[in-house]
Amino acid sequence: MKSKASQSQGLLLFRLSQTQVFALGTLKVRELVPYTRLSKIPQSHPTILGASTIRGHTIPIIDMAAAIGYRPIAPEEREKCYIIITDCQRMIIGFLVRGIDKIIECNWRDIEAPSSSLGKNAYLTGVTRFEDQLVQLLDVELLLSKIFPDNPKANRAILTDVQREKLKPMNILLVDDSKVARKQLSDALDMINIPYRVTADGKEALVMMEQAALEHHPIDILVSDIEMPGLDGYELAFEVRDNPLTAKAYIILHTSLSSEISVSQAHQVGANEALTKFDAHELIDAMLRGADLALDKR
């Protein structure tokens, strides 16, 4: 059976330096605008250059080069720069970049995990090649978590004893290629003392689920990111549903995209729920619904 999940991903290529090409998934991008004058934001993060009013929204503008450790964009350079307006993690943010290259179509299977030799650069989720150039996919979630750190208490879910006992026996698997997202998911469950397994890779998740089923401990609840290299969340959901060994899992897809399109597509490939990450309360509520369904099937 052919997967309904699209393996093609639009990538916006841009530059933060003369030599290196970076990329963002186009689903995260709302629009591109030339540099515009900015108003200072008092007591803001050093990489926030100011705010701009674009189409009625006051949007913070971040020097993306400075944010990931490259040479900051000097004031005299800015007139030639562009702002990438993104919609990610329920925030509309602008990133000032030195240049926009083009938009390309890329197969997720052609995107590889970053080399361990790039370990010091924590802001990458994957790498690919285009016209013999290395293209580095930025981890926007990690970037935003550094600039707008969450209040840890705000993302702490509260469970009753009955709810905790309902979730504890569930076999839970978390899948996300973003380090910060994996930590958020793990922390949410650690704080309420719920066991789980975790991986950064969709292909590995599928193998883990098949193995768990063969060992008679099938995964009850799968929580997966949508945008992942190799095997994305849509395709993972479809493969899980299409395999009798794993088909009964309750599938929760989560995405940093504030988009109804991604939610609709998630249901089309067999996911039970799609969430805009990250909200611990919403995640735990969804997992409790999965636990109820799993208990009904036992």
Side-chain angles (χ1 to χ4, degrees), residues 139-184:
D139 187 341
V140 181
E141 287 83 3
L142 181 58
L143 195 57
L144 293 178
S145 75
K146 300 287 188 186
I147 297 171
F148 304 101
D150 291 330
N151 175 352
K153 292 182 180 177
N155 273 327
R156 181 167 187 166
I158 306 296
L159 285 189
T160 65
D161 290 341
V162 171
Q163 290 172 325
R164 185 176 288 104
E165 292 309 308
K166 189 184 291 183
L167 268 186
K168 266 194 172 179
M170 295 292 114
N171 291 318
I172 298 168
L173 177 61
L174 311 176
V175 192
D176 203 303
D177 64 313
S178 166
K179 292 177 187 176
V180 70
R182 284 199 303 277
K183 186 174 189 312
Q184 286 176 327

Side-chain angles (χ1 to χ4, degrees), residues 16 46-47 49 62-73 96 98 143:
L16 302 177
T47 63
L49 301 174
I62 294 166
D63 180 342
M64 186 181 268
I68 68 166
Y70 282 71
R71 179 174 62 84
I73 298 174
L96 189 68
R98 287 192 161 93
L143 195 57

Side-chain angles (χ1 to χ4, degrees), residues 137-287:
L137 276 70
L138 283 179
D139 187 341
V140 181
E141 287 83 3
L142 181 58
L143 195 57
L144 293 178
S145 75
K146 300 287 188 186
I147 297 171
F148 304 101
D150 291 330
N151 175 352
K153 292 182 180 177
N155 273 327
R156 181 167 187 166
I158 306 296
L159 285 189
T160 65
D161 290 341
V162 171
Q163 290 172 325
R164 185 176 288 104
E165 292 309 308
K166 189 184 291 183
L167 268 186
K168 266 194 172 179
M170 295 292 114
N171 291 318
I172 298 168
L173 177 61
L174 311 176
V175 192
D176 203 303
D177 64 313
S178 166
K179 292 177 187 176
V180 70
R182 284 199 303 277
K183 186 174 189 312
Q184 286 176 327
L185 292 167
S186 299
D187 285 351
L189 295 183
D190 288 341
M191 285 178 181
I192 55 177
N193 198 26
I194 299 297
Y196 58 90
R197 300 170 71 182
V198 64
T199 177
D201 183 88
K203 291 178 185 175
E204 185 178 343
L206 198 56
V207 172
M208 290 168 71
M209 291 185 73
E210 291 171 348
Q211 188 62 38
L214 291 171
E215 294 170 359
H216 306 293
H217 297 290
I219 297 298
D220 299 298
I221 300 172
L222 170 67
V223 181
S224 174
D225 185 21
I226 288 178
E227 287 190 300
M228 295 187 296
L231 190 73
D232 71 16
Y234 294 132
E235 195 166 16
L236 174 60
F238 185 89
E239 297 293 343
V240 167
R241 280 284 175 260
D242 201 39
N243 186 333
L245 286 173
T246 57
K248 291 182 179 178
Y250 192 85
I251 302 174
I252 303 167
L253 295 184
H254 61 102
T255 174
S256 57
L257 309 173
S258 304
S259 169
E260 291 300 320
I261 298 171
S262 56
V263 173
S264 170
Q265 192 170 353
H267 292 309
Q268 288 176 22
V269 295
N272 297 88
E273 305 203 32
L275 306 175
T276 301
K277 65 183 180 189
F278 175 78
D279 185 300
H281 303 278
E282 290 184 11
L283 173 66
I284 300 303
D285 284 347
M287 294 174 82

